Amino acid sequence: MSYRMEKDTLGEVKVPSDKWWGAQTQRSLENFKIGSEKMPKEVVEAFTILKEATAAANLRLGNIEKEKGEVIQDVCLELREQGTYEHFPLVVWQTGSGTQSNMNMNEVVAYRGNEVLSEKGSELKIHPNDDVNRSQSSNDTFPTAMHIAALKDVKERLLPALQRLKKTVEEKSQLFDNVIKIGRTHLQDATPLTLGQEISGWAHMLKKSEEMIEQSSEQLRNLAIGGTAVGTGINAHPKFGDYTAEEISRITGETFRSSENKFHALTSHDEIVYVHGAVKGLAADLMKIANDVRWLASGPRSGIGEITIPANEPGSSIMPGKVNPTQSEALTMTVSQVFGNDAAIGFAASQGNFELNVFKPVIIYNFLQSVRLLSDAMDSFNEKCMVGIEVNEEIIEKHVKNSLMLVTALNPHIGYEKAAAIAKTAFQKNSTLKETAVELGYLTEEQFDEYINLEKMVRPTE
């Protein structure tokens, strides 16, 4: 491999000649050989948006030569459109402010920008700090990139996947609205409801999660840019943060604003904690839905078996013909990871000292992983399981007829005590509710048939 020499304030460093990064990126590669987790591509893309916007803001303020500012913008767009991510190799486990990832972007943009200037015959040279990072600090750029990446991923990845799953669940709820089944509370028999009503609970969970995620995500529109090193805005024009936020809004099509208090924006990540809390709420609902599906589909002959799920692959390497609820298992495993991510994000956000939180990379890494995992898992669960759920009407009817809790409908007519006696006696004698009620002399057969009306039991009645 061939190398070239790059230098920074600490001296010269060898850099692979086919890479666009500079000395500070190389030092980070050599000093932080920790884990395999790379800075997410979403953060890199957010940085290209940010650096394009800061160049535009500096041009508006007359803080940078026109040719330099335009080339920086062009290079950022090129990086984003061509997905040139091989020049961004840094791991998550680096400086807690994300300084080295900020400098990685500065160095790559400067290197590629100087190539473009040279091709144009210009003698200008773009400096990674003086030009690409002008009016900025890692302390305000990295949290700004965090918010850009987080909001884009929520809007473009998580919510669409959630909406696709919600649509399928709503359709299943309508399809099965007249299928009366036995309800269950505490894993014990309860009064009847329709399968559609049961599934409508899932649909409303997804609807409420969607609303909470959308509402909390509004907080991500606040950006740290303009605060520079400690929140005072040193070396930045008073309008720089506002102008940059306007340019980011133009590039992304999403509304962003410079935070009204930069001291908060640098040292606190309560906004990301808040949004991830809503994401965790979705994860909790998904755990419940996935578990309900695998309970209801359990069996097929020794379980509940009221629904069937698609047979996507053999379920066992030793038991022929076995079908397992693998999509539920995959979804619940991602939920487990999201719960862990939430704990990590909450702890990391509580750390840092004075003017700066220094756990930023791990916060955004875990946030984006949660969004990616849940988005992919919801699509997989939707396409490979939910759309193929069917009803086992024979089993559902059997469970309804055998349930002792139908006796609840007798309460208004004979009272709780007599109804309880019927249920207990029927259970002890392994007889039907009807037989027992008549035997005990509490009801005639005709009265029993009139009062035990399944259609009336699944709706409120006057």
Side-chain angles (χ1 to χ4, degrees):
M1 179 182 289
S2 61
Y3 295 89
R4 68 177 188 278
M5 299 303 297
E6 291 282 350
K7 65 178 182 178
D8 58 14
T9 55
L10 294 182
E12 292 188 333
V13 181
K14 285 200 310 183
V15 173
S17 58
D18 62 336
K19 298 298 186 286
W20 294 353
W21 64 72
Q24 292 196 44
T25 302
Q26 189 64 34
R27 290 188 193 281
S28 182
L29 274 175
E30 295 171 2
N31 291 334
F32 296 97
K33 296 179 180 179
I34 304 172
S36 59
E37 295 84 2
K38 302 295 184 182
M39 190 60 64
K41 291 180 179 179
E42 294 87 350
V43 175
V44 174
E45 180 183 290
F47 259 114
T48 67
I49 293 168
L50 173 58
K51 296 300 178 178
E52 181 180 341
T54 56
N58 277 319
L59 280 172
R60 288 172 64 179
L61 292 166
N63 284 344
I64 193 171
E65 294 97 322
K66 185 173 184 294
E67 191 172 10
K68 283 186 178 182
E70 290 176 348
V71 167
I72 290 173
Q73 292 180 83
D74 290 343
V75 168
C76 290
L77 182 60
E78 174 190 316
L79 290 170
R80 197 160 60 251
E81 288 185 342
Q82 296 187 7
T84 316
Y85 297 117
E86 68 266 24
H87 303 294
F88 302 95
L90 300 188
V91 296
V92 171
W93 320 109
Q94 53 168 279
T95 175
S97 62
T99 297
Q100 287 138 14
S101 282
N102 179 42
M103 283 308 304
N104 184 189
M105 180 60 64
N106 292 335
E107 289 176 342
V108 168
V109 171
Y111 184 90
R112 177 61 186 141
N114 287 328
E115 282 188 336
V116 173
L117 288 172
S118 178
E119 291 166 3
K120 291 181 176 181
S122 173
E123 295 183 359
L124 287 173
K125 290 290 183 182
I126 295 174
H127 191 279
N129 297 81
D130 297 337
D131 297 313
V132 186
N133 201 58
R134 180 166 294 192
S135 307
Q136 304 153 63
S137 162
S138 298
N139 296 350
D140 67 344
T141 58
F142 197 88
T144 296
M146 289 171 68
H147 277 211
I148 295 170
L151 184 67
K152 279 176 60 62
D153 235 29
V154 166
K155 292 284 188 178
E156 297 173 8
R157 191 194 296 261
L158 183 65
L159 289 175
L162 171 53
Q163 289 156 2
R164 287 189 288 270
L165 176 59
K166 183 183 69 171
K167 181 176 182 292
T168 300
V169 174
E170 289 171 343
E171 290 171 351
K172 291 292 180 179
S173 176
Q174 294 172 7
L175 181 63
F176 302 142
D177 189 49
N178 294 319
V179 178
I180 298 176
K181 66 183 291 290
I182 200 62
R184 295 179 180 86
T185 59
H186 304 269
L187 292 182
Q188 304 296 306
D189 296 350
T191 56
L193 76 167
T194 73
L195 181 57
Q197 289 172 327
E198 187 170 53
I199 294 176
S200 76
W202 306 348
H204 202 68
M205 289 177 194
L206 299 177
K207 178 177 181 291
K208 294 301 293 183
S209 284
E210 179 183 9
E211 291 172 357
M212 289 186 285
I213 291 169
E214 286 179 335
Q215 181 269 329
S216 61
S217 294
E218 291 299 304
Q219 300 299 320
L220 297 174
R221 300 184 189 279
N222 301 311
L223 303 179
I225 196 68
T228 62
V230 297
T232 61
I234 187 172
N235 292 349
H237 189 281
K239 291 288 187 183
F240 178 75
D242 292 332
Y243 285 1
T244 300
E246 289 174 10
E247 295 296 335
I248 293 170
S249 300
R250 174 185 59 80
I251 295 167
T252 62
E254 293 285 351
T255 301
F256 288 94
R257 52 187 169 268
S258 182
S259 174
E260 62 181 330
N261 189 299
K262 307 301 190 300
F263 306 103
H264 166 269
L266 269 63
T267 198
S268 173
H269 289 297
D270 50 9
E271 293 156 325
I272 283 185
V273 173
Y274 181 38
V275 181
H276 197 270
V279 174
K280 183 178 71 171
L282 168 63
D285 284 338
L286 292 172
M287 177 71 87
K288 185 264 192 292
I289 293 169
N291 278 334
D292 278 0
V293 167
R294 61 176 160 187
W295 272 104
L296 291 172
S298 61
R301 292 186 175 179
S302 300
I304 293 175
E306 292 181 347
I307 65 172
T308 60
I309 56 176
N312 296 319
E313 67 277 318
S316 172
S317 61
I318 190 173
M319 294 175 280
K322 199 169 190 293
V323 175
N324 291 334
T326 52
Q327 289 297 321
S328 286
E329 291 164 6
L331 180 55
T332 53
M333 282 194 291
T334 65
V335 168
S336 300
Q337 184 63 54
V338 171
F339 289 164
N341 287 350
D342 192 72
I345 288 171
F347 181 80
S350 74
Q351 301 303 300
N353 304 102
F354 307 116
E355 277 63 64
L356 188 68
N357 174 285
V358 290
F359 287 66
K360 299 183 192 300
V362 71
I363 290 172
I364 191 59
Y365 176 81
N366 281 282
F367 183 97
L368 294 173
Q369 186 192 53
S370 291
V371 169
R372 183 171 59 253
L373 285 176
L374 286 187
S375 301
D376 291 349
M378 281 191 291
D379 275 339
S380 182
F381 184 75
N382 183 35
E383 296 166 10
K384 303 296 182 181
C385 181
M386 185 58 68
V387 297
I389 286 177
E390 296 179 0
V391 177
N392 189 333
E393 294 187 9
E394 182 181 349
I395 294 294
I396 284 181
E397 184 178 355
K398 175 185 175 183
H399 287 164
V400 171
K401 286 183 176 180
N402 286 341
S403 175
L404 297 174
M405 289 304 101
L406 299 182
V407 77
T408 306
L410 300 179
N411 285 357
H413 305 286
I414 63 174
Y416 183 91
E417 299 290 344
K418 290 182 179 179
I422 292 173
K424 289 180 179 179
T425 303
F427 180 68
Q428 291 167 357
K429 293 187 173 182
N430 195 28
S431 59
T432 68
L433 291 174
K434 185 176 182 178
E435 291 169 346
T436 306
V438 173
E439 181 182 329
L440 292 175
Y442 294 152
L443 293 166
T444 65
E445 290 187 13
E446 291 75 19
Q447 287 174 319
F448 185 91
D449 291 338
E450 179 185 353
Y451 300 151
I452 302 296
N453 184 317
L454 293 178
E455 294 291 342
K456 291 181 179 180
M457 293 177 73
V458 298
R459 316 282 179 195
T461 56
E462 294 183 8

